[in-house]
Amino acid sequence: MKEVRFGIIGLGSMGTHHARYLINNKIKGARLTAVADINPEKLRWAEESGIQSFTDENAFYCSGLFDAVLIATPHYHHPPIAIKAFEHGLNVLSEKPAGVYTKQVREMNEKAEESKQVFSIMFNQRTNPLYQKLRELIQSGELGQLKRINWTITDWYRSQSYYDSGGWRATWKGEGGGVLINQSPHQLDLLHWITGMEPSRIRAFCYFGKYRNIEVEDEVTAFLEYKDKATCVFTTSIGEAPGTNRLEIAGDRGKAVIEDGKFTFWRLRVPESEFNREYTGGFGEPECWKIDVPVTGKETGHQGITQNFVDNILYGTPLLATGTEGIKSLAASNAMQLSTWIDDWVTLPVNEDLYHQKLTEKIKQSKIGKSVSDKTLSVDGTY
Amino acid sequence: MKEVRFGIIGLGSMGTHHARYLINNKIKGARLTAVADINPEKLRWAEESGIQSFTDENAFYCSGLFDAVLIATPHYHHPPIAIKAFEHGLNVLSEKPAGVYTKQVREMNEKAEESKQVFSIMFNQRTNPLYQKLRELIQSGELGQLKRINWTITDWYRSQSYYDSGGWRATWKGEGGGVLINQSPHQLDLLHWITGMEPSRIRAFCYFGKYRNIEVEDEVTAFLEYKDKATCVFTTSIGEAPGTNRLEIAGDRGKAVIEDGKFTFWRLRVPESEFNREYTGGFGEPECWKIDVPVTGKETGHQGITQNFVDNILYGTPLLATGTEGIKSLAASNAMQLSTWIDDWVTLPVNEDLYHQKLTEKIKQSKIGKSVSDKTLSVDGTY
């Protein structure tokens, strides 16, 4: 294959964004050849650009016009669309989250593996050199065994007008959640990707419609416990201005903080556990060096992920964000909602049937009958 | 009264520290006239300095040698000693914590109020101009209604040798807890003192002997919920090097952070709630100014609290740390342990009898039989 031809399904805010950079030849070795949306109005501009458009999903898959599907529909549709694409022998690049509930995503992952097609997911924050560097330090043992993580990621400010811009937004039926499913999947993904750890149980405190007139969670504090007794506090909110994005990881050999685009590492000369074993002086602590970690390279974002996906298909370049890994952050997200609903710990892997049952109840009990316009927002400056 | 004569009871690390600055005339209008300890060896240096010493508690109270008792015994003894002092018509300055369980402290507070003597508590972090300034900003409304607090106070590093230096340290019987009762009372005190809020319920995750060979908690993460739905994450540990001390408070009119001795305030030009009501643009947030808040004055610490106590007795200067307020931070501390023990929420005010029952069980079940030396550690650089 010399070129990857793309078909985009879903032309809302994100789909339109992906279409634009593909049309503008920002991705080497890629070309946008088809788009699909159930709303014909959203297809008009594509037709004017000479791109084949579809309102019928099956006609889209059977067109033979593309090698890869880029999925940018509402979240619930990601898994079934990916499954269909795999069945048609197509490669898949899906927007995050992987889906809304892990049961659905597990099926998608099984299909992906059967199909042997390339499957990637739009975790574009993995292209951020700060997080890549932190991951490298942890994986090379510079921090030693991890003790405690605190990620305060509250810079997802969204006003009521944002929620009113799309009928599917912030509803159980349309999105299956709020800040956890729409904004924070990036950080939930980075959390396991950077640390290499997955929580064994989670106790979370979600607030639903605390700051906005929405039925889903708009503020979350979650406590995660790992097998080796490391812990994590994960806090996210759409209701704060200005928000915070600060990741702190304490380990046996020091502490790392990423904040304001800077990576600081406090490096102990001897591991804390070793100091503790040998020290006899009562008060006192190990010698520590504060280091500004040099971080090079630039965050390539959505285009970086799309380019990596294309390069994998064309040249076998390793995938930065393997599609099947999307289930990990979704499992954390599901566990956080479930923990709040049952007001108790949730042990991982999450009870998929229980989660799905509770989610279905929420959808049934929903009193939301939005009659708002379905605007296409500019996503410049977000991700 | 022209001079406040002090009697110190308890000559361990802290009592010795207080005695030294009193002897060195660091407190205007105060003089150390008597000391008491059950261990005669600890009194020897005082006798050499010409200060009257007592091993008998009653003889100490009845000596008529002092106007105020400074209590620096192990925590359990703070309330009964304060009660005796009040009964002898003496003023009281107690080390923190107020006691180990609120039931005991409530009785002390009742006696204090009956006696009309001056009662202060060694919350010397209240003398820190950074926290005074933050309190002033919040109380004057600069932050608006508070939304979320995160205090990561993990710079209480203590090695095993610290715990091995005193037989009473880090035992249920000797201290009634670990980092919550010994190190963090300062921050638990500042939390309500700065914000003016008390939590309505707490869900906490204490780890007992996770980093040290001790039976009490050495790492705690607690989630506090307030009546108006503000929340707080409070994290403390003795097992991390280097620790963190970062206090972040998000409000409707901006965000305040105290870290590394600096106070930064992100001030919104219009309150977030107002922006949200009026904004129609989807993505977007209120204009925000980053401000380095000027903080003047210096932290006067233990001596500042002792001086303030003396000035209150002599001149009626308002107390900075009223003794009866000690119950608030203790209630939070008790609730955090209890929440872990019952693995559930604890509603405030804490169930005093249940807490006391559980604590008594811990003492009975204790397998600690320490046979270590009772060293007097230097407390320089701690508080």
Side-chain angles (χ1 to χ4, degrees):
Chain A
M1 202 183 294
K2 284 186 173 176
E3 184 188 55
V4 177
R5 295 167 306 156
F6 272 92
I8 297 180
I9 184 161
L11 282 184
S13 307
M14 289 310 308
T16 306
H17 170 70
H18 294 304
R20 281 200 191 113
Y21 67 71
L22 280 165
I23 289 172
N24 292 325
N25 297 312
K26 298 290 185 191
I27 308 300
K28 282 179 205 160
R31 189 158 53 96
L32 180 64
T33 52
V35 290
D37 200 293
I38 48 169
N39 183 347
E41 280 180 38
K42 300 212 166 182
L43 297 170
R44 224 166 272 166
W45 69 267
E47 286 161 6
E48 287 162 11
S49 307
I51 292 159
Q52 192 76 37
S53 70
F54 297 86
T55 49
D56 181 78
E57 211 185 332
N58 278 324
F60 174 71
Y61 294 122
C62 298
S63 68
L65 286 169
F66 46 86
D67 314 296
V69 177
L70 198 167
I71 305 173
T73 59
H75 320 320
Y76 277 105
H77 304 297
H78 296 174
I81 290 173
I83 288 170
K84 272 200 187 162
F86 291 131
E87 287 170 351
H88 283 82
L90 296 160
N91 302 294
V92 171
L93 173 56
S94 176
E95 259 299 338
K96 54 81 201 167
V100 176
Y101 48 97
T102 53
K103 196 174 177 173
Q104 189 190 34
V105 170
R106 194 172 303 281
E107 288 165 20
M108 172 178 74
N109 284 356
E110 285 162 9
K111 282 285 179 189
E113 274 160 22
E114 277 171 33
S115 80
K116 310 220 186 288
Q117 296 301 308
V118 176
F119 181 28
S120 183
I121 182 163
M122 196 55 82
F123 283 130
N124 46 289
Q125 283 291 295
R126 291 196 188 187
T127 72
N128 186 327
L130 284 162
Y131 299 121
Q132 291 180 345
K133 190 73 181 179
L134 177 56
R135 181 173 187 254
E136 188 255 298
L137 255 73
I138 289 174
Q139 298 205 340
S140 65
E142 288 285 353
L143 264 87
Q145 184 164 341
L146 302 189
K147 294 179 174 179
R148 189 183 55 78
I149 303 163
N150 186 312
W151 201 336
T152 302
I153 169 68
T154 54
D155 70 346
W156 288 121
Y157 187 75
R158 295 292 183 268
S159 63
Q160 188 64 44
S161 65
Y162 163 84
Y163 294 107
D164 294 344
S165 71
W168 59 284
R169 285 197 195 279
T171 61
W172 293 117
K173 192 177 173 187
E175 285 207 85
V179 65
L180 284 175
I181 205 81
N182 192 309
Q183 285 81 25
S184 290
H186 289 295
Q187 284 80 29
L188 291 176
D189 174 64
L190 290 174
L191 200 55
H192 72 79
W193 186 67
I194 289 170
T195 63
M197 303 192 305
E198 285 176 75
S200 51
R201 58 176 189 160
I202 293 179
R203 183 69 177 90
F205 313 96
C206 300
Y207 293 87
F208 305 95
K210 181 177 183 179
Y211 291 116
R212 299 294 177 259
N213 182 24
I214 54 177
E215 63 184 3
V216 295
E217 77 284 351
D218 51 8
E219 187 188 73
V220 178
T221 298
F223 181 73
L224 290 73
E225 198 177 65
Y226 296 89
K227 282 195 186 69
D228 58 357
K229 289 291 181 192
T231 65
C232 171
V233 171
F234 184 85
T235 307
T236 189
S237 172
I238 59 80
E240 292 179 21
T244 293
N245 184 358
R246 183 180 190 274
L247 171 60
E248 169 172 292
I249 302 188
D252 190 40
R253 304 179 62 136
K255 180 176 73 170
V257 172
I258 289 182
E259 189 177 14
D260 295 331
K262 276 180 285 190
F263 180 175
T264 310
F265 176 37
W266 287 262
R267 181 180 181 274
L268 299 180
R269 285 191 73 191
V270 297
E272 183 282 312
S273 54
E274 188 183 321
F275 175 89
N276 182 54
R277 266 196 310 276
E278 294 170 7
Y279 188 67
T280 57
F283 293 104
E285 57 188 284
E287 182 178 335
C288 177
W289 296 349
K290 185 177 176 184
I291 295 161
D292 294 324
V293 177
V295 176
T296 52
K298 86 183 238 272
E299 184 179 344
T300 52
H302 294 127
Q303 297 184 32
I305 292 291
T306 306
Q307 185 69 64
N308 171 259
F309 172 73
V310 167
D311 291 348
N312 178 277
I313 295 170
L314 296 180
Y315 318 114
T317 306
L319 276 187
L320 187 57
T322 304
T324 49
E325 286 178 17
I327 200 165
K328 295 184 184 180
S329 45
L330 184 65
S333 164
N334 285 181
M336 289 174 191
Q337 289 175 330
L338 186 57
S339 171
T340 307
W341 293 335
I342 65 173
D343 200 14
D344 204 348
W345 289 101
V346 167
T347 302
L348 281 286
V350 69
N351 181 331
E352 291 182 356
D353 291 321
L354 181 61
Y355 178 80
H356 188 238
Q357 175 204 320
K358 295 276 180 192
L359 177 64
T360 307
E361 282 169 21
K362 297 288 165 195
I363 293 168
K364 276 188 193 153
Q365 290 158 6
S366 171
K367 285 171 186 162
I368 299 283
K370 277 196 184 182
S371 60
V372 289
S373 63
D374 212 30
K375 286 190 212 167
T376 301
L377 295 175
S378 161
V379 292
D380 294 348
T382 186
Y383 50 92
Chain B
M1 202 184 295
K2 283 187 175 174
E3 184 187 55
V4 177
R5 295 168 305 156
F6 272 91
I8 297 181
I9 183 161
L11 281 183
S13 307
M14 289 311 308
T16 305
H17 169 71
H18 294 304
R20 282 203 188 110
Y21 66 72
L22 280 165
I23 289 172
N24 292 325
N25 296 313
K26 298 290 185 191
I27 308 299
K28 283 180 203 159
R31 188 157 54 96
L32 180 64
T33 53
V35 290
D37 199 293
I38 48 169
N39 183 348
E41 280 181 37
K42 300 214 167 183
L43 296 169
R44 223 166 273 167
W45 69 268
E47 285 161 8
E48 287 161 12
S49 308
I51 292 160
Q52 192 75 39
S53 70
F54 297 87
T55 49
D56 181 79
E57 211 185 332
N58 278 323
F60 174 72
Y61 295 122
C62 298
S63 68
L65 285 169
F66 45 86
D67 315 296
V69 178
L70 199 165
I71 305 173
T73 60
H75 321 319
Y76 278 104
H77 305 296
H78 296 175
I81 290 174
I83 288 169
K84 274 202 184 157
F86 291 132
E87 287 169 353
H88 284 82
L90 295 160
N91 303 294
V92 171
L93 173 56
S94 176
E95 258 299 338
K96 53 82 200 166
V100 176
Y101 47 98
T102 53
K103 196 175 177 174
Q104 188 190 34
V105 171
R106 194 173 304 281
E107 289 164 20
M108 171 177 75
N109 284 356
E110 286 163 9
K111 282 284 179 192
E113 275 161 19
E114 276 170 32
S115 80
K116 310 218 187 291
Q117 296 301 306
V118 176
F119 180 29
S120 184
I121 182 162
M122 198 51 84
F123 282 130
N124 46 289
Q125 283 291 295
R126 290 195 189 187
T127 72
N128 186 326
L130 283 163
Y131 299 123
Q132 292 181 343
K133 189 73 181 179
L134 176 56
R135 181 172 187 253
E136 188 255 297
L137 255 73
I138 288 173
Q139 298 205 342
S140 65
E142 288 285 354
L143 264 87
Q145 183 162 344
L146 303 189
K147 293 179 175 179
R148 189 182 55 78
I149 303 163
N150 186 313
W151 201 336
T152 302
I153 170 69
T154 54
D155 70 346
W156 288 120
Y157 188 75
R158 294 292 183 268
S159 63
Q160 188 64 46
S161 66
Y162 163 84
Y163 293 107
D164 294 344
S165 71
W168 59 283
R169 285 197 195 279
T171 61
W172 293 117
K173 192 178 174 185
E175 285 207 86
V179 64
L180 284 175
I181 204 82
N182 192 309
Q183 285 81 24
S184 290
H186 290 295
Q187 284 80 29
L188 291 175
D189 175 63
L190 289 175
L191 201 55
H192 73 77
W193 186 67
I194 289 170
T195 63
M197 303 192 306
E198 285 176 76
S200 50
R201 59 176 189 161
I202 293 179
R203 182 69 177 88
F205 313 96
C206 299
Y207 293 87
F208 305 95
K210 180 177 182 178
Y211 291 115
R212 300 295 177 258
N213 182 23
I214 54 176
E215 62 183 3
V216 294
E217 78 283 352
D218 52 8
E219 187 189 75
V220 178
T221 298
F223 181 73
L224 291 72
E225 198 177 65
Y226 297 88
K227 284 198 185 66
D228 58 356
K229 290 290 181 192
T231 65
C232 171
V233 171
F234 184 85
T235 306
T236 189
S237 172
I238 59 78
E240 292 178 21
T244 294
N245 185 358
R246 182 179 190 275
L247 171 59
E248 169 171 293
I249 303 187
D252 190 40
R253 302 179 63 138
K255 180 176 72 172
V257 171
I258 289 182
E259 189 176 14
D260 296 331
K262 276 179 284 188
F263 181 175
T264 311
F265 176 37
W266 287 262
R267 180 180 182 273
L268 300 179
R269 286 192 73 190
V270 296
E272 184 282 312
S273 54
E274 187 183 322
F275 175 88
N276 181 55
R277 266 197 309 276
E278 293 170 7
Y279 188 66
T280 56
F283 292 104
E285 57 187 284
E287 183 179 333
C288 175
W289 295 349
K290 186 177 177 185
I291 296 161
D292 293 324
V293 178
V295 176
T296 54
K298 88 182 235 275
E299 184 178 343
T300 53
H302 294 127
Q303 297 185 34
I305 293 291
T306 307
Q307 186 68 64
N308 171 259
F309 173 73
V310 168
D311 291 348
N312 177 278
I313 296 171
L314 296 180
Y315 317 115
T317 306
L319 277 187
L320 187 56
T322 305
T324 49
E325 286 178 18
I327 200 166
K328 294 184 184 180
S329 45
L330 183 65
S333 165
N334 284 181
M336 288 174 192
Q337 290 175 331
L338 185 57
S339 171
T340 306
W341 293 335
I342 65 172
D343 200 15
D344 205 349
W345 289 101
V346 167
T347 302
L348 281 287
V350 69
N351 182 330
E352 292 181 355
D353 292 321
L354 180 62
Y355 178 80
H356 189 237
Q357 175 203 320
K358 294 276 178 192
L359 176 63
T360 308
E361 282 169 20
K362 297 288 165 196
I363 293 168
K364 278 189 192 153
Q365 289 159 7
S366 173
K367 285 170 188 162
I368 299 283
K370 278 196 185 183
S371 60
V372 290
S373 64
D374 213 31
K375 287 190 210 167
T376 299
L377 295 175
S378 160
V379 292
D380 294 348
T382 185
Y383 50 90

